[in-house]
Amino acid sequence: MTDQARQALENIRRAPSLYRRPRGAEIALAVISLAVMCAGASWVIRADPPLVWSLPAALAILAVPFSWHWAALRTPGRAPWRRADTFLAGAALLAATLPVYELLWSGGSSGTSSWVASAVATVMLAVFIGARWRR
């Protein structure tokens, strides 16, 4: 092996990795976000607030996956964005509309339907976060 080839291999070994593991604070924030998404959305749906309070609650529910999508796009040191990540981000955002629908347009939602809508949104958000952290 020539000196130039050895130097090239050494440069490759020292290159920064794009597969940075999530920090403890990121993991804690993800767990808190998922808990708020599941329990908080379900509680708000079952509380059946008036429209004046339902609209900010709906925006808050939608803000959780939007903020994770935004953060995933801008986090340095992560692997490049792929089509699967785009699909999962869209699925998480779409799933977040289920609790919003239950909150705004479903009159007298049962406890089961509120938990199901919140759980679907939470699972899709968890899949998206996990997909971005898997590498």
mmCIF file of all heavy atoms in Angstrom, residues 86-111:
data_model
loop_
_atom_site.group_PDB
_atom_site.id
_atom_site.type_symbol
_atom_site.label_atom_id
_atom_site.label_comp_id
_atom_site.label_asym_id
_atom_site.label_seq_id
_atom_site.Cartn_x
_atom_site.Cartn_y
_atom_site.Cartn_z
ATOM 1 N N THR A 86 -38.903 11.402 5.521
ATOM 2 C CA THR A 86 -39.937 12.323 5.063
ATOM 3 C C THR A 86 -41.317 11.682 5.183
ATOM 4 O O THR A 86 -42.272 12.319 5.638
ATOM 5 C CB THR A 86 -39.680 12.738 3.600
ATOM 6 O OG1 THR A 86 -38.391 13.327 3.522
ATOM 7 C CG2 THR A 86 -40.719 13.718 3.111
ATOM 8 N N PHE A 87 -41.418 10.425 4.809
ATOM 9 C CA PHE A 87 -42.683 9.701 4.925
ATOM 10 C C PHE A 87 -43.117 9.592 6.380
ATOM 11 O O PHE A 87 -44.285 9.837 6.713
ATOM 12 C CB PHE A 87 -42.557 8.305 4.305
ATOM 13 C CG PHE A 87 -43.771 7.457 4.506
ATOM 14 C CD1 PHE A 87 -44.909 7.665 3.756
ATOM 15 C CD2 PHE A 87 -43.771 6.465 5.474
ATOM 16 C CE1 PHE A 87 -46.043 6.885 3.958
ATOM 17 C CE2 PHE A 87 -44.891 5.682 5.685
ATOM 18 C CZ PHE A 87 -46.031 5.896 4.921
ATOM 19 N N LEU A 88 -42.197 9.238 7.265
ATOM 20 C CA LEU A 88 -42.539 9.093 8.684
ATOM 21 C C LEU A 88 -42.895 10.432 9.322
ATOM 22 O O LEU A 88 -43.778 10.497 10.181
ATOM 23 C CB LEU A 88 -41.394 8.423 9.437
ATOM 24 C CG LEU A 88 -41.193 6.948 9.115
ATOM 25 C CD1 LEU A 88 -39.939 6.422 9.783
ATOM 26 C CD2 LEU A 88 -42.406 6.138 9.527
ATOM 27 N N ALA A 89 -42.216 11.494 8.912
ATOM 28 C CA ALA A 89 -42.555 12.823 9.435
ATOM 29 C C ALA A 89 -43.964 13.207 9.002
ATOM 30 O O ALA A 89 -44.756 13.721 9.809
ATOM 31 C CB ALA A 89 -41.546 13.854 8.951
ATOM 32 N N GLY A 90 -44.299 12.950 7.752
ATOM 33 C CA GLY A 90 -45.652 13.239 7.271
ATOM 34 C C GLY A 90 -46.692 12.392 7.975
ATOM 35 O O GLY A 90 -47.778 12.870 8.315
ATOM 36 N N ALA A 91 -46.369 11.129 8.216
ATOM 37 C CA ALA A 91 -47.303 10.245 8.914
ATOM 38 C C ALA A 91 -47.524 10.703 10.356
ATOM 39 O O ALA A 91 -48.647 10.646 10.871
ATOM 40 C CB ALA A 91 -46.788 8.811 8.887
ATOM 41 N N ALA A 92 -46.456 11.160 11.009
ATOM 42 C CA ALA A 92 -46.594 11.659 12.380
ATOM 43 C C ALA A 92 -47.438 12.932 12.417
ATOM 44 O O ALA A 92 -48.280 13.101 13.314
ATOM 45 C CB ALA A 92 -45.215 11.919 12.984
ATOM 46 N N LEU A 93 -47.235 13.807 11.448
ATOM 47 C CA LEU A 93 -48.040 15.034 11.391
ATOM 48 C C LEU A 93 -49.495 14.717 11.067
ATOM 49 O O LEU A 93 -50.415 15.316 11.638
ATOM 50 C CB LEU A 93 -47.456 15.989 10.360
ATOM 51 C CG LEU A 93 -46.079 16.554 10.688
ATOM 52 C CD1 LEU A 93 -45.522 17.327 9.493
ATOM 53 C CD2 LEU A 93 -46.146 17.440 11.906
ATOM 54 N N LEU A 94 -49.710 13.775 10.168
ATOM 55 C CA LEU A 94 -51.073 13.377 9.829
ATOM 56 C C LEU A 94 -51.757 12.690 11.006
ATOM 57 O O LEU A 94 -52.941 12.932 11.274
ATOM 58 C CB LEU A 94 -51.054 12.455 8.607
ATOM 59 C CG LEU A 94 -52.405 12.039 8.055
ATOM 60 C CD1 LEU A 94 -53.173 13.260 7.577
ATOM 61 C CD2 LEU A 94 -52.227 11.051 6.930
ATOM 62 N N ALA A 95 -51.038 11.856 11.715
ATOM 63 C CA ALA A 95 -51.618 11.171 12.873
ATOM 64 C C ALA A 95 -51.973 12.155 13.979
ATOM 65 O O ALA A 95 -52.905 11.911 14.750
ATOM 66 C CB ALA A 95 -50.645 10.113 13.394
ATOM 67 N N ALA A 96 -51.264 13.266 14.060
ATOM 68 C CA ALA A 96 -51.575 14.274 15.084
ATOM 69 C C ALA A 96 -52.908 14.956 14.814
ATOM 70 O O ALA A 96 -53.478 15.581 15.717
ATOM 71 C CB ALA A 96 -50.460 15.309 15.161
ATOM 72 N N THR A 97 -53.412 14.836 13.604
ATOM 73 C CA THR A 97 -54.720 15.429 13.318
ATOM 74 C C THR A 97 -55.867 14.594 13.893
ATOM 75 O O THR A 97 -56.983 15.108 14.017
ATOM 76 C CB THR A 97 -54.934 15.612 11.807
ATOM 77 O OG1 THR A 97 -54.906 14.339 11.160
ATOM 78 C CG2 THR A 97 -53.876 16.532 11.214
ATOM 79 N N LEU A 98 -55.610 13.341 14.243
ATOM 80 C CA LEU A 98 -56.671 12.516 14.845
ATOM 81 C C LEU A 98 -57.151 13.079 16.179
ATOM 82 O O LEU A 98 -58.356 13.253 16.377
ATOM 83 C CB LEU A 98 -56.202 11.073 14.994
ATOM 84 C CG LEU A 98 -55.997 10.297 13.700
ATOM 85 C CD1 LEU A 98 -55.397 8.935 13.989
ATOM 86 C CD2 LEU A 98 -57.305 10.167 12.959
ATOM 87 N N PRO A 99 -56.241 13.386 17.129
ATOM 88 C CA PRO A 99 -56.747 13.990 18.359
ATOM 89 C C PRO A 99 -57.333 15.390 18.133
ATOM 90 O O PRO A 99 -58.271 15.789 18.817
ATOM 91 C CB PRO A 99 -55.538 14.050 19.285
ATOM 92 C CG PRO A 99 -54.380 13.582 18.537
ATOM 93 C CD PRO A 99 -54.831 13.061 17.230
ATOM 94 N N VAL A 100 -56.812 16.106 17.148
ATOM 95 C CA VAL A 100 -57.372 17.430 16.846
ATOM 96 C C VAL A 100 -58.805 17.280 16.332
ATOM 97 O O VAL A 100 -59.700 18.038 16.720
ATOM 98 C CB VAL A 100 -56.484 18.180 15.839
ATOM 99 C CG1 VAL A 100 -57.153 19.434 15.332
ATOM 100 C CG2 VAL A 100 -55.145 18.515 16.474
ATOM 101 N N TYR A 101 -59.020 16.300 15.475
ATOM 102 C CA TYR A 101 -60.375 16.037 14.993
ATOM 103 C C TYR A 101 -61.297 15.680 16.152
ATOM 104 O O TYR A 101 -62.419 16.198 16.248
ATOM 105 C CB TYR A 101 -60.366 14.899 13.961
ATOM 106 C CG TYR A 101 -61.755 14.444 13.591
ATOM 107 C CD1 TYR A 101 -62.508 15.176 12.684
ATOM 108 C CD2 TYR A 101 -62.312 13.309 14.157
ATOM 109 C CE1 TYR A 101 -63.797 14.778 12.350
ATOM 110 C CE2 TYR A 101 -63.587 12.909 13.831
ATOM 111 C CZ TYR A 101 -64.332 13.643 12.935
ATOM 112 O OH TYR A 101 -65.598 13.245 12.620
ATOM 113 N N GLU A 102 -60.853 14.803 17.026
ATOM 114 C CA GLU A 102 -61.666 14.409 18.180
ATOM 115 C C GLU A 102 -61.965 15.624 19.063
ATOM 116 O O GLU A 102 -63.055 15.742 19.599
ATOM 117 C CB GLU A 102 -60.936 13.351 19.017
ATOM 118 C CG GLU A 102 -60.919 11.987 18.409
ATOM 119 C CD GLU A 102 -62.277 11.311 18.462
ATOM 120 O OE1 GLU A 102 -63.015 11.488 19.450
ATOM 121 O OE2 GLU A 102 -62.597 10.613 17.493
ATOM 122 N N LEU A 103 -60.998 16.507 19.181
ATOM 123 C CA LEU A 103 -61.161 17.677 20.045
ATOM 124 C C LEU A 103 -62.145 18.678 19.439
ATOM 125 O O LEU A 103 -63.021 19.193 20.130
ATOM 126 C CB LEU A 103 -59.804 18.346 20.274
ATOM 127 C CG LEU A 103 -59.787 19.627 21.099
ATOM 128 C CD1 LEU A 103 -60.258 19.351 22.509
ATOM 129 C CD2 LEU A 103 -58.391 20.220 21.107
ATOM 130 N N LEU A 104 -62.008 18.955 18.153
ATOM 131 C CA LEU A 104 -62.783 20.030 17.553
ATOM 132 C C LEU A 104 -64.145 19.599 17.016
ATOM 133 O O LEU A 104 -65.115 20.349 17.111
ATOM 134 C CB LEU A 104 -61.980 20.681 16.426
ATOM 135 C CG LEU A 104 -60.695 21.394 16.841
ATOM 136 C CD1 LEU A 104 -59.986 21.957 15.627
ATOM 137 C CD2 LEU A 104 -60.986 22.492 17.847
ATOM 138 N N TRP A 105 -64.248 18.415 16.428
ATOM 139 C CA TRP A 105 -65.461 18.075 15.714
ATOM 140 C C TRP A 105 -66.230 16.893 16.267
ATOM 141 O O TRP A 105 -67.296 16.583 15.781
ATOM 142 C CB TRP A 105 -65.145 17.799 14.246
ATOM 143 C CG TRP A 105 -64.785 19.049 13.541
ATOM 144 C CD1 TRP A 105 -65.637 20.033 13.136
ATOM 145 C CD2 TRP A 105 -63.491 19.469 13.173
ATOM 146 N NE1 TRP A 105 -64.932 21.042 12.550
ATOM 147 C CE2 TRP A 105 -63.609 20.730 12.547
ATOM 148 C CE3 TRP A 105 -62.224 18.922 13.307
ATOM 149 C CZ2 TRP A 105 -62.531 21.431 12.059
ATOM 150 C CZ3 TRP A 105 -61.143 19.619 12.823
ATOM 151 C CH2 TRP A 105 -61.300 20.860 12.197
ATOM 152 N N SER A 106 -65.729 16.208 17.222
ATOM 153 C CA SER A 106 -66.446 15.055 17.756
ATOM 154 C C SER A 106 -67.175 15.485 19.022
ATOM 155 O O SER A 106 -66.557 15.788 20.036
ATOM 156 C CB SER A 106 -65.462 13.920 18.059
ATOM 157 O OG SER A 106 -66.162 12.807 18.533
ATOM 158 N N GLY A 107 -68.467 15.501 18.957
ATOM 159 C CA GLY A 107 -69.258 15.918 20.117
ATOM 160 C C GLY A 107 -69.361 14.808 21.136
ATOM 161 O O GLY A 107 -69.798 13.705 20.841
ATOM 162 N N GLY A 108 -68.954 15.080 22.352
ATOM 163 C CA GLY A 108 -69.059 14.098 23.422
ATOM 164 C C GLY A 108 -68.210 12.864 23.197
ATOM 165 O O GLY A 108 -68.720 11.752 23.205
ATOM 166 N N SER A 109 -66.921 13.036 22.991
ATOM 167 C CA SER A 109 -66.031 11.906 22.748
ATOM 168 C C SER A 109 -65.959 11.002 23.968
ATOM 169 O O SER A 109 -65.920 11.469 25.105
ATOM 170 C CB SER A 109 -64.626 12.405 22.426
ATOM 171 O OG SER A 109 -64.612 13.091 21.218
ATOM 172 N N SER A 110 -65.931 9.715 23.702
ATOM 173 C CA SER A 110 -65.786 8.764 24.797
ATOM 174 C C SER A 110 -64.318 8.706 25.218
ATOM 175 O O SER A 110 -63.425 9.159 24.497
ATOM 176 C CB SER A 110 -66.261 7.382 24.358
ATOM 177 O OG SER A 110 -65.377 6.849 23.404
ATOM 178 N N GLY A 111 -64.088 8.141 26.373
ATOM 179 C CA GLY A 111 -62.717 7.999 26.857
ATOM 180 C C GLY A 111 -61.886 7.107 25.952
ATOM 181 O O GLY A 111 -60.710 7.343 25.726
#
